[in-house]
Short mmCIF file of all heavy atoms in Angstrom, two decimals:
data_model
loop_
_atom_site.label_atom_id
_atom_site.label_comp_id
_atom_site.label_asym_id
_atom_site.label_seq_id
_atom_site.Cartn_x
_atom_site.Cartn_y
_atom_site.Cartn_z
N LEU O 1 -3.83 -1.43 -7.75
CA LEU O 1 -3.96 -1.59 -9.19
C LEU O 1 -2.64 -1.26 -9.87
O LEU O 1 -2.01 -0.27 -9.55
CB LEU O 1 -5.02 -0.65 -9.74
CG LEU O 1 -6.47 -0.95 -9.43
CD1 LEU O 1 -7.36 0.15 -9.94
CD2 LEU O 1 -6.88 -2.28 -9.98
N PRO O 2 -2.23 -2.06 -10.82
CA PRO O 2 -1.03 -1.73 -11.58
C PRO O 2 -1.29 -0.53 -12.51
O PRO O 2 -2.41 -0.34 -12.98
CB PRO O 2 -0.74 -2.99 -12.39
CG PRO O 2 -1.93 -3.86 -12.27
CD PRO O 2 -2.78 -3.35 -11.16
N ILE O 3 -0.25 0.24 -12.74
CA ILE O 3 -0.36 1.42 -13.60
C ILE O 3 0.50 1.21 -14.84
O ILE O 3 1.66 0.84 -14.74
CB ILE O 3 0.11 2.69 -12.87
CG1 ILE O 3 -0.69 2.92 -11.59
CG2 ILE O 3 0.03 3.90 -13.79
CD1 ILE O 3 -0.12 4.01 -10.70
N VAL O 4 -0.07 1.47 -16.00
CA VAL O 4 0.64 1.53 -17.26
C VAL O 4 0.42 2.94 -17.80
O VAL O 4 -0.73 3.37 -17.95
CB VAL O 4 0.12 0.47 -18.26
CG1 VAL O 4 0.78 0.64 -19.62
CG2 VAL O 4 0.35 -0.93 -17.72
N ALA O 5 1.50 3.67 -18.07
CA ALA O 5 1.35 5.06 -18.50
C ALA O 5 2.44 5.43 -19.49
O ALA O 5 3.52 4.84 -19.51
CB ALA O 5 1.44 5.98 -17.28
N ALA O 6 2.14 6.44 -20.29
CA ALA O 6 3.15 6.98 -21.21
C ALA O 6 4.28 7.59 -20.40
O ALA O 6 4.08 8.13 -19.31
CB ALA O 6 2.52 8.04 -22.12
N ASP O 7 5.49 7.48 -20.90
CA ASP O 7 6.67 8.00 -20.22
C ASP O 7 6.76 9.51 -20.43
O ASP O 7 7.41 10.00 -21.34
CB ASP O 7 7.92 7.30 -20.75
CG ASP O 7 9.14 7.59 -19.92
OD1 ASP O 7 9.01 8.22 -18.85
OD2 ASP O 7 10.24 7.17 -20.31
N LEU O 8 6.06 10.23 -19.56
CA LEU O 8 5.99 11.69 -19.63
C LEU O 8 6.57 12.30 -18.35
O LEU O 8 6.53 11.68 -17.29
CB LEU O 8 4.53 12.14 -19.77
CG LEU O 8 3.75 11.57 -20.94
CD1 LEU O 8 2.28 11.93 -20.83
CD2 LEU O 8 4.33 12.07 -22.25
N THR O 9 7.07 13.51 -18.45
CA THR O 9 7.63 14.20 -17.29
C THR O 9 6.61 14.29 -16.17
O THR O 9 6.95 14.06 -15.01
CB THR O 9 8.11 15.61 -17.69
OG1 THR O 9 9.07 15.47 -18.74
CG2 THR O 9 8.72 16.33 -16.52
N THR O 10 5.38 14.60 -16.50
CA THR O 10 4.36 14.74 -15.46
C THR O 10 4.09 13.42 -14.75
O THR O 10 3.81 13.41 -13.55
CB THR O 10 3.04 15.28 -16.05
OG1 THR O 10 2.64 14.47 -17.15
CG2 THR O 10 3.18 16.71 -16.51
N VAL O 11 4.20 12.31 -15.45
CA VAL O 11 4.06 11.00 -14.82
C VAL O 11 5.24 10.75 -13.90
O VAL O 11 5.07 10.30 -12.75
CB VAL O 11 3.94 9.89 -15.88
CG1 VAL O 11 3.99 8.51 -15.24
CG2 VAL O 11 2.65 10.06 -16.69
N ARG O 12 6.44 11.07 -14.36
CA ARG O 12 7.64 10.87 -13.54
C ARG O 12 7.67 11.79 -12.33
O ARG O 12 8.40 11.52 -11.36
CB ARG O 12 8.90 11.07 -14.38
CG ARG O 12 9.15 9.93 -15.34
CD ARG O 12 10.40 10.20 -16.18
NE ARG O 12 10.68 9.10 -17.07
CZ ARG O 12 11.53 8.12 -16.79
NH1 ARG O 12 12.16 8.10 -15.66
NH2 ARG O 12 11.73 7.15 -17.67
N ASP O 13 6.91 12.88 -12.33
CA ASP O 13 6.82 13.74 -11.16
C ASP O 13 6.16 13.02 -9.99
O ASP O 13 6.39 13.37 -8.83
CB ASP O 13 6.02 15.01 -11.46
CG ASP O 13 6.77 15.99 -12.34
OD1 ASP O 13 8.01 15.85 -12.50
OD2 ASP O 13 6.12 16.91 -12.89
N PHE O 14 5.35 12.02 -10.28
CA PHE O 14 4.62 11.29 -9.25
C PHE O 14 5.14 9.87 -9.02
O PHE O 14 5.09 9.37 -7.91
CB PHE O 14 3.13 11.22 -9.60
CG PHE O 14 2.44 12.53 -9.44
CD1 PHE O 14 2.33 13.41 -10.49
CD2 PHE O 14 1.90 12.90 -8.22
CE1 PHE O 14 1.70 14.63 -10.35
CE2 PHE O 14 1.27 14.12 -8.05
CZ PHE O 14 1.17 14.99 -9.13
N PHE O 15 5.58 9.21 -10.07
CA PHE O 15 5.93 7.79 -9.97
C PHE O 15 7.27 7.49 -10.62
O PHE O 15 7.69 8.15 -11.55
CB PHE O 15 4.85 6.93 -10.66
CG PHE O 15 3.49 7.11 -10.10
CD1 PHE O 15 2.52 7.80 -10.81
CD2 PHE O 15 3.17 6.60 -8.86
CE1 PHE O 15 1.25 7.97 -10.29
CE2 PHE O 15 1.90 6.76 -8.33
CZ PHE O 15 0.94 7.45 -9.05
N ARG O 16 7.91 6.43 -10.12
CA ARG O 16 9.19 5.97 -10.66
C ARG O 16 8.94 4.77 -11.57
O ARG O 16 8.39 3.77 -11.12
CB ARG O 16 10.13 5.59 -9.53
CG ARG O 16 10.49 6.80 -8.65
CD ARG O 16 11.20 6.38 -7.40
NE ARG O 16 10.25 5.60 -6.56
CZ ARG O 16 10.56 5.05 -5.42
NH1 ARG O 16 11.78 5.15 -4.93
NH2 ARG O 16 9.66 4.37 -4.73
N PRO O 17 9.36 4.86 -12.83
CA PRO O 17 9.19 3.73 -13.75
C PRO O 17 9.84 2.47 -13.22
O PRO O 17 10.90 2.50 -12.61
CB PRO O 17 9.86 4.21 -15.03
CG PRO O 17 9.77 5.70 -14.96
CD PRO O 17 9.94 6.03 -13.50
N ASP O 18 9.16 1.36 -13.45
CA ASP O 18 9.60 0.03 -13.05
C ASP O 18 9.60 -0.19 -11.54
O ASP O 18 9.91 -1.26 -11.07
CB ASP O 18 10.96 -0.33 -13.64
CG ASP O 18 10.94 -0.32 -15.16
OD1 ASP O 18 9.92 -0.72 -15.74
OD2 ASP O 18 11.93 0.10 -15.76
N VAL O 19 9.30 0.84 -10.78
CA VAL O 19 9.14 0.69 -9.33
C VAL O 19 7.66 0.78 -8.99
O VAL O 19 7.13 -0.09 -8.29
CB VAL O 19 9.93 1.78 -8.56
CG1 VAL O 19 9.67 1.68 -7.06
CG2 VAL O 19 11.41 1.68 -8.87
N GLU O 20 7.00 1.81 -9.50
CA GLU O 20 5.58 2.02 -9.20
C GLU O 20 4.67 1.93 -10.43
O GLU O 20 3.47 1.92 -10.28
CB GLU O 20 5.39 3.38 -8.53
CG GLU O 20 6.03 3.42 -7.17
CD GLU O 20 6.88 4.64 -6.92
OE1 GLU O 20 7.04 5.49 -7.82
OE2 GLU O 20 7.40 4.73 -5.82
N LEU O 21 5.25 1.87 -11.60
CA LEU O 21 4.42 1.74 -12.80
C LEU O 21 5.24 1.21 -13.96
O LEU O 21 6.47 1.21 -13.93
CB LEU O 21 3.79 3.07 -13.19
CG LEU O 21 4.68 4.10 -13.91
CD1 LEU O 21 3.81 5.05 -14.67
CD2 LEU O 21 5.54 4.86 -12.93
N GLN O 22 4.53 0.75 -14.96
CA GLN O 22 5.12 0.30 -16.22
C GLN O 22 4.92 1.42 -17.23
O GLN O 22 3.81 1.92 -17.38
CB GLN O 22 4.41 -0.98 -16.68
CG GLN O 22 5.04 -1.68 -17.82
CD GLN O 22 6.33 -2.37 -17.42
OE1 GLN O 22 6.50 -2.82 -16.31
NE2 GLN O 22 7.26 -2.44 -18.35
N VAL O 23 5.99 1.85 -17.91
CA VAL O 23 5.88 2.94 -18.87
C VAL O 23 6.13 2.45 -20.30
O VAL O 23 6.73 1.40 -20.52
CB VAL O 23 6.85 4.09 -18.55
CG1 VAL O 23 6.53 4.74 -17.23
CG2 VAL O 23 8.28 3.64 -18.59
N TYR O 24 5.66 3.26 -21.22
CA TYR O 24 5.91 3.04 -22.65
C TYR O 24 6.11 4.41 -23.27
O TYR O 24 5.70 5.43 -22.71
CB TYR O 24 4.74 2.30 -23.31
CG TYR O 24 3.46 3.09 -23.31
CD1 TYR O 24 3.11 3.89 -24.40
CD2 TYR O 24 2.59 3.07 -22.22
CE1 TYR O 24 1.94 4.64 -24.39
CE2 TYR O 24 1.43 3.81 -22.21
CZ TYR O 24 1.11 4.60 -23.30
OH TYR O 24 -0.04 5.35 -23.28
N SER O 25 6.79 4.45 -24.41
CA SER O 25 7.01 5.73 -25.10
C SER O 25 5.69 6.26 -25.66
O SER O 25 4.93 5.49 -26.25
CB SER O 25 8.02 5.56 -26.24
OG SER O 25 9.26 5.17 -25.72
N LYS O 26 5.48 7.56 -25.49
CA LYS O 26 4.21 8.12 -25.98
C LYS O 26 4.12 7.90 -27.50
O LYS O 26 5.13 7.87 -28.20
CB LYS O 26 4.07 9.59 -25.63
CG LYS O 26 5.05 10.51 -26.28
CD LYS O 26 4.79 11.95 -25.84
CE LYS O 26 5.76 12.88 -26.53
NZ LYS O 26 5.48 14.26 -26.23
N HIS O 27 2.92 7.73 -27.97
CA HIS O 27 2.61 7.49 -29.38
C HIS O 27 3.13 6.13 -29.88
O HIS O 27 3.21 5.92 -31.08
CB HIS O 27 3.14 8.61 -30.28
CG HIS O 27 2.73 9.98 -29.86
ND1 HIS O 27 1.41 10.36 -29.78
CD2 HIS O 27 3.46 11.04 -29.48
CE1 HIS O 27 1.35 11.62 -29.37
NE2 HIS O 27 2.58 12.05 -29.18
N ASP O 28 3.51 5.24 -28.96
CA ASP O 28 4.04 3.93 -29.35
C ASP O 28 3.01 2.86 -28.99
O ASP O 28 3.00 2.33 -27.89
CB ASP O 28 5.36 3.68 -28.61
CG ASP O 28 5.98 2.33 -28.95
OD1 ASP O 28 5.44 1.59 -29.80
OD2 ASP O 28 7.01 2.01 -28.33
N ASP O 29 2.15 2.56 -29.96
CA ASP O 29 1.09 1.57 -29.72
C ASP O 29 1.64 0.20 -29.37
O ASP O 29 1.13 -0.48 -28.48
CB ASP O 29 0.17 1.46 -30.94
CG ASP O 29 -0.58 2.75 -31.22
OD1 ASP O 29 -0.69 3.60 -30.31
OD2 ASP O 29 -1.06 2.90 -32.36
N ALA O 30 2.70 -0.20 -30.04
CA ALA O 30 3.32 -1.50 -29.75
C ALA O 30 3.91 -1.50 -28.34
O ALA O 30 3.83 -2.50 -27.63
CB ALA O 30 4.38 -1.83 -30.79
N GLY O 31 4.50 -0.38 -27.96
CA GLY O 31 5.05 -0.27 -26.60
C GLY O 31 3.97 -0.34 -25.54
O GLY O 31 4.17 -0.95 -24.49
N LEU O 32 2.83 0.28 -25.81
CA LEU O 32 1.70 0.20 -24.90
C LEU O 32 1.24 -1.24 -24.76
O LEU O 32 1.04 -1.75 -23.65
CB LEU O 32 0.55 1.08 -25.38
CG LEU O 32 -0.78 0.94 -24.61
CD1 LEU O 32 -0.61 1.23 -23.13
CD2 LEU O 32 -1.83 1.86 -25.24
N ALA O 33 1.10 -1.92 -25.89
CA ALA O 33 0.67 -3.32 -25.86
C ALA O 33 1.67 -4.17 -25.08
O ALA O 33 1.27 -5.04 -24.29
CB ALA O 33 0.51 -3.85 -27.29
N GLU O 34 2.95 -3.92 -25.27
CA GLU O 34 3.99 -4.67 -24.55
C GLU O 34 3.93 -4.40 -23.05
O GLU O 34 4.07 -5.32 -22.24
CB GLU O 34 5.37 -4.31 -25.10
CG GLU O 34 6.48 -5.11 -24.47
CD GLU O 34 7.84 -4.78 -25.08
OE1 GLU O 34 7.91 -4.39 -26.25
OE2 GLU O 34 8.83 -4.95 -24.35
N ALA O 35 3.72 -3.14 -22.67
CA ALA O 35 3.63 -2.80 -21.26
C ALA O 35 2.42 -3.47 -20.60
O ALA O 35 2.51 -3.97 -19.48
CB ALA O 35 3.55 -1.28 -21.08
N ILE O 36 1.31 -3.50 -21.31
CA ILE O 36 0.12 -4.18 -20.78
C ILE O 36 0.38 -5.69 -20.68
O ILE O 36 0.04 -6.31 -19.67
CB ILE O 36 -1.11 -3.88 -21.66
CG1 ILE O 36 -1.51 -2.40 -21.52
CG2 ILE O 36 -2.28 -4.78 -21.28
CD1 ILE O 36 -2.54 -1.95 -22.53
N ALA O 37 0.99 -6.24 -21.71
CA ALA O 37 1.30 -7.68 -21.70
C ALA O 37 2.24 -8.02 -20.54
O ALA O 37 2.08 -9.06 -19.88
CB ALA O 37 1.92 -8.10 -23.02
N THR O 38 3.20 -7.15 -20.26
CA THR O 38 4.12 -7.37 -19.13
C THR O 38 3.36 -7.43 -17.82
O THR O 38 3.61 -8.29 -16.98
CB THR O 38 5.19 -6.26 -19.09
OG1 THR O 38 5.96 -6.32 -20.29
CG2 THR O 38 6.10 -6.40 -17.89
N ALA O 39 2.40 -6.52 -17.66
CA ALA O 39 1.59 -6.51 -16.44
C ALA O 39 0.74 -7.78 -16.33
O ALA O 39 0.60 -8.36 -15.25
CB ALA O 39 0.70 -5.28 -16.41
N ILE O 40 0.21 -8.23 -17.45
CA ILE O 40 -0.63 -9.44 -17.47
C ILE O 40 0.22 -10.69 -17.24
O ILE O 40 -0.17 -11.59 -16.49
CB ILE O 40 -1.41 -9.54 -18.78
CG1 ILE O 40 -2.47 -8.43 -18.84
CG2 ILE O 40 -2.05 -10.91 -18.94
CD1 ILE O 40 -3.12 -8.28 -20.19
N ASP O 41 1.40 -10.74 -17.87
CA ASP O 41 2.26 -11.92 -17.79
C ASP O 41 2.89 -12.10 -16.40
O ASP O 41 3.25 -13.23 -16.04
CB ASP O 41 3.37 -11.85 -18.84
CG ASP O 41 2.84 -12.00 -20.25
OD1 ASP O 41 1.70 -12.46 -20.42
OD2 ASP O 41 3.59 -11.64 -21.19
N ASP O 42 3.06 -11.02 -15.67
CA ASP O 42 3.66 -11.12 -14.33
C ASP O 42 2.78 -10.36 -13.34
O ASP O 42 3.11 -9.26 -12.91
CB ASP O 42 5.08 -10.56 -14.34
CG ASP O 42 5.85 -10.88 -13.07
OD1 ASP O 42 5.23 -11.35 -12.08
OD2 ASP O 42 7.07 -10.66 -13.07
N PRO O 43 1.63 -10.95 -12.99
CA PRO O 43 0.69 -10.25 -12.12
C PRO O 43 1.26 -9.93 -10.74
O PRO O 43 0.90 -8.91 -10.15
CB PRO O 43 -0.51 -11.19 -12.04
CG PRO O 43 -0.03 -12.52 -12.48
CD PRO O 43 1.14 -12.27 -13.37
N ALA O 44 2.16 -10.76 -10.23
CA ALA O 44 2.74 -10.47 -8.92
C ALA O 44 3.58 -9.20 -8.96
O ALA O 44 3.49 -8.35 -8.07
CB ALA O 44 3.58 -11.65 -8.44
N ALA O 45 4.40 -9.05 -10.00
CA ALA O 45 5.21 -7.83 -10.14
C ALA O 45 4.32 -6.62 -10.39
O ALA O 45 4.57 -5.54 -9.83
CB ALA O 45 6.22 -7.99 -11.27
N ALA O 46 3.28 -6.78 -11.20
CA ALA O 46 2.36 -5.68 -11.46
C ALA O 46 1.66 -5.26 -10.17
O ALA O 46 1.51 -4.07 -9.89
CB ALA O 46 1.34 -6.08 -12.52
N ALA O 47 1.24 -6.24 -9.37
CA ALA O 47 0.58 -5.93 -8.10
C ALA O 47 1.54 -5.23 -7.15
O ALA O 47 1.17 -4.27 -6.47
CB ALA O 47 0.04 -7.20 -7.47
N ALA O 48 2.80 -5.65 -7.13
CA ALA O 48 3.80 -5.02 -6.27
C ALA O 48 4.02 -3.56 -6.68
O ALA O 48 4.14 -2.68 -5.82
CB ALA O 48 5.11 -5.79 -6.31
N ARG O 49 4.07 -3.30 -7.99
CA ARG O 49 4.20 -1.91 -8.45
C ARG O 49 2.97 -1.10 -8.05
O ARG O 49 3.09 0.07 -7.66
CB ARG O 49 4.42 -1.87 -9.97
CG ARG O 49 5.82 -2.28 -10.39
CD ARG O 49 6.10 -2.00 -11.85
NE ARG O 49 5.21 -2.70 -12.77
CZ ARG O 49 5.42 -3.91 -13.24
NH1 ARG O 49 6.51 -4.58 -12.91
NH2 ARG O 49 4.56 -4.47 -14.07
N GLY O 50 1.80 -1.71 -8.13
CA GLY O 50 0.57 -1.02 -7.72
C GLY O 50 0.57 -0.67 -6.25
O GLY O 50 0.20 0.44 -5.86
N VAL O 51 1.02 -1.60 -5.42
CA VAL O 51 1.10 -1.34 -3.98
C VAL O 51 2.12 -0.24 -3.71
O VAL O 51 1.89 0.66 -2.89
CB VAL O 51 1.46 -2.64 -3.21
CG1 VAL O 51 1.83 -2.35 -1.77
CG2 VAL O 51 0.31 -3.63 -3.27
N ALA O 52 3.26 -0.28 -4.40
CA ALA O 52 4.27 0.76 -4.23
C ALA O 52 3.74 2.13 -4.65
O ALA O 52 4.00 3.13 -3.98
CB ALA O 52 5.52 0.41 -5.03
N ALA O 53 2.97 2.17 -5.73
CA ALA O 53 2.38 3.43 -6.19
C ALA O 53 1.40 3.97 -5.16
O ALA O 53 1.41 5.17 -4.84
CB ALA O 53 1.68 3.24 -7.54
N GLN O 54 0.56 3.10 -4.63
CA GLN O 54 -0.42 3.53 -3.63
C GLN O 54 0.30 4.07 -2.40
O GLN O 54 -0.09 5.11 -1.85
CB GLN O 54 -1.31 2.36 -3.26
CG GLN O 54 -2.41 2.74 -2.30
CD GLN O 54 -3.29 1.55 -1.97
OE1 GLN O 54 -2.80 0.46 -1.68
NE2 GLN O 54 -4.59 1.75 -2.01
N SER O 55 1.33 3.40 -1.97
CA SER O 55 2.10 3.83 -0.81
C SER O 55 2.73 5.20 -1.05
O SER O 55 2.70 6.08 -0.18
CB SER O 55 3.18 2.80 -0.49
OG SER O 55 3.97 3.23 0.59
N ARG O 56 3.29 5.38 -2.24
CA ARG O 56 3.93 6.67 -2.56
C ARG O 56 2.90 7.80 -2.58
O ARG O 56 3.16 8.89 -2.05
CB ARG O 56 4.64 6.57 -3.91
CG ARG O 56 5.41 7.83 -4.26
CD ARG O 56 6.21 7.61 -5.54
NE ARG O 56 6.89 8.81 -5.94
CZ ARG O 56 8.18 9.04 -5.74
NH1 ARG O 56 8.93 8.16 -5.12
NH2 ARG O 56 8.73 10.16 -6.16
N VAL O 57 1.75 7.56 -3.16
CA VAL O 57 0.72 8.60 -3.19
C VAL O 57 0.28 8.95 -1.77
O VAL O 57 0.16 10.13 -1.43
CB VAL O 57 -0.49 8.15 -4.05
CG1 VAL O 57 -1.69 9.06 -3.83
CG2 VAL O 57 -0.10 8.13 -5.52
N ARG O 58 0.06 7.95 -0.96
CA ARG O 58 -0.38 8.20 0.41
C ARG O 58 0.66 8.94 1.23
O ARG O 58 0.33 9.78 2.06
CB ARG O 58 -0.75 6.89 1.09
CG ARG O 58 -2.06 6.34 0.60
CD ARG O 58 -2.47 5.12 1.36
NE ARG O 58 -3.82 4.74 0.96
CZ ARG O 58 -4.33 3.54 1.15
NH1 ARG O 58 -3.60 2.61 1.74
NH2 ARG O 58 -5.55 3.28 0.76
N SER O 59 1.94 8.64 1.01
CA SER O 59 2.98 9.26 1.83
C SER O 59 3.45 10.61 1.30
O SER O 59 3.77 11.50 2.07
CB SER O 59 4.17 8.33 1.98
OG SER O 59 4.84 8.16 0.75
N GLU O 60 3.48 10.77 -0.02
CA GLU O 60 4.07 11.98 -0.59
C GLU O 60 3.09 12.94 -1.24
O GLU O 60 3.45 14.08 -1.51
CB GLU O 60 5.14 11.59 -1.61
CG GLU O 60 6.29 10.85 -0.97
CD GLU O 60 7.44 10.61 -1.90
OE1 GLU O 60 7.57 11.34 -2.91
OE2 GLU O 60 8.21 9.67 -1.64
N HIS O 61 1.88 12.50 -1.50
CA HIS O 61 0.94 13.36 -2.20
C HIS O 61 -0.42 13.44 -1.49
O HIS O 61 -1.43 13.76 -2.11
CB HIS O 61 0.74 12.86 -3.65
CG HIS O 61 2.04 12.80 -4.40
ND1 HIS O 61 2.74 13.91 -4.78
CD2 HIS O 61 2.77 11.73 -4.80
CE1 HIS O 61 3.85 13.55 -5.39
NE2 HIS O 61 3.89 12.23 -5.42
N SER O 62 -0.41 13.17 -0.20
CA SER O 62 -1.67 13.23 0.56
C SER O 62 -2.03 14.68 0.84
O SER O 62 -1.19 15.59 0.75
CB SER O 62 -1.51 12.48 1.88
OG SER O 62 -0.61 13.18 2.73
N LEU O 63 -3.27 14.89 1.19
CA LEU O 63 -3.73 16.23 1.55
C LEU O 63 -2.95 16.75 2.75
O LEU O 63 -2.55 17.92 2.78
CB LEU O 63 -5.24 16.21 1.83
CG LEU O 63 -5.87 17.56 2.17
CD1 LEU O 63 -5.65 18.57 1.06
CD2 LEU O 63 -7.36 17.38 2.42
N ALA O 64 -2.71 15.89 3.73
CA ALA O 64 -1.95 16.31 4.91
C ALA O 64 -0.54 16.74 4.53
O ALA O 64 -0.03 17.75 5.04
CB ALA O 64 -1.91 15.17 5.93
N ARG O 65 0.09 16.00 3.65
CA ARG O 65 1.45 16.34 3.22
C ARG O 65 1.45 17.67 2.46
O ARG O 65 2.31 18.52 2.67
CB ARG O 65 2.00 15.23 2.34
CG ARG O 65 3.32 15.53 1.65
CD ARG O 65 4.50 15.43 2.61
NE ARG O 65 5.74 15.82 1.99
CZ ARG O 65 6.63 14.99 1.47
NH1 ARG O 65 6.42 13.70 1.50
NH2 ARG O 65 7.73 15.45 0.94
N MET O 66 0.47 17.86 1.57
CA MET O 66 0.39 19.12 0.82
C MET O 66 0.16 20.30 1.76
O MET O 66 0.77 21.36 1.60
CB MET O 66 -0.69 19.04 -0.24
CG MET O 66 -0.33 18.13 -1.39
SD MET O 66 -1.50 18.19 -2.78
CE MET O 66 -2.96 17.50 -2.02
N ALA O 67 -0.71 20.12 2.76
CA ALA O 67 -0.98 21.19 3.72
C ALA O 67 0.27 21.52 4.52
O ALA O 67 0.61 22.69 4.72
CB ALA O 67 -2.13 20.78 4.64
N ASN O 68 0.99 20.49 4.93
CA ASN O 68 2.23 20.71 5.69
C ASN O 68 3.27 21.43 4.83
O ASN O 68 3.93 22.37 5.30
CB ASN O 68 2.79 19.38 6.19
CG ASN O 68 4.02 19.57 7.04
OD1 ASN O 68 4.00 20.28 8.03
ND2 ASN O 68 5.11 18.95 6.62
N ASP O 69 3.43 21.01 3.60
CA ASP O 69 4.38 21.67 2.69
C ASP O 69 4.00 23.13 2.47
O ASP O 69 4.86 24.00 2.42
CB ASP O 69 4.44 20.93 1.35
CG ASP O 69 5.14 19.58 1.45
OD1 ASP O 69 5.72 19.27 2.51
OD2 ASP O 69 5.06 18.83 0.46
N TYR O 70 2.71 23.39 2.35
CA TYR O 70 2.24 24.76 2.16
C TYR O 70 2.55 25.61 3.38
O TYR O 70 3.00 26.75 3.27
CB TYR O 70 0.73 24.76 1.87
CG TYR O 70 0.17 26.13 1.62
CD1 TYR O 70 0.38 26.79 0.41
CD2 TYR O 70 -0.58 26.79 2.61
CE1 TYR O 70 -0.13 28.05 0.19
CE2 TYR O 70 -1.10 28.06 2.38
CZ TYR O 70 -0.87 28.67 1.17
OH TYR O 70 -1.37 29.92 0.94
N GLU O 71 2.34 25.03 4.56
CA GLU O 71 2.61 25.79 5.78
C GLU O 71 4.09 26.11 5.93
O GLU O 71 4.46 27.10 6.58
CB GLU O 71 2.15 24.99 7.00
CG GLU O 71 0.65 24.94 7.13
CD GLU O 71 0.19 24.05 8.28
OE1 GLU O 71 1.03 23.37 8.92
OE2 GLU O 71 -1.03 24.03 8.53
N GLN O 72 4.95 25.29 5.36
CA GLN O 72 6.39 25.50 5.45
C GLN O 72 6.89 26.63 4.55
O GLN O 72 8.03 27.07 4.71
CB GLN O 72 7.14 24.20 5.11
CG GLN O 72 6.83 23.05 6.04
CD GLN O 72 7.12 23.35 7.49
OE1 GLN O 72 8.17 23.90 7.82
NE2 GLN O 72 6.18 23.03 8.36
N LEU O 73 6.05 27.10 3.63
CA LEU O 73 6.48 28.18 2.72
C LEU O 73 6.71 29.47 3.43
O LEU O 73 6.21 29.90 4.33
CB LEU O 73 5.44 28.38 1.61
CG LEU O 73 5.29 27.22 0.65
CD1 LEU O 73 4.16 27.53 -0.33
CD2 LEU O 73 6.59 26.98 -0.10
#
């Protein structure tokens, strides 16, 4: 699934804009509409960002990864 999210630090902690998601400035309704329109207008690019996001979550934020990182402390 493609992701459209406000450009917040917490979002950037997990995903890279324009690689894994489409961002817009917080409180910018027109920016949100534009980001959604971009995803709709280019479904192949939106799908590619969604696949990249899923891959990143599975590789960097999985339970196994968190457990391994914890054990390394």
Side-chain angles (χ1 to χ4, degrees):
L1 288 175
I3 302 170
V4 174
D7 191 7
L8 304 171
T9 302
T10 53
V11 172
R12 287 179 178 264
D13 287 346
F14 288 91
F15 302 107
R16 296 169 294 178
D18 300 324
V19 175
E20 293 132 358
L21 78 157
Q22 189 72 31
V23 296
Y24 64 94
S25 297
K26 66 179 182 175
H27 308 300
D28 180 4
D29 296 341
L32 172 58
E34 184 178 332
I36 292 169
T38 298
I40 291 169
D41 291 343
D42 192 349
R49 285 190 299 272
V51 168
Q54 184 180 46
S55 177
R56 185 174 176 102
V57 167
R58 286 185 172 160
S59 68
E60 297 187 23
H61 303 290
S62 68
L63 182 58
R65 172 77 185 262
M66 288 188 295
N68 183 56
D69 289 351
Y70 181 76
E71 288 176 354
Q72 299 302 315
L73 294 176

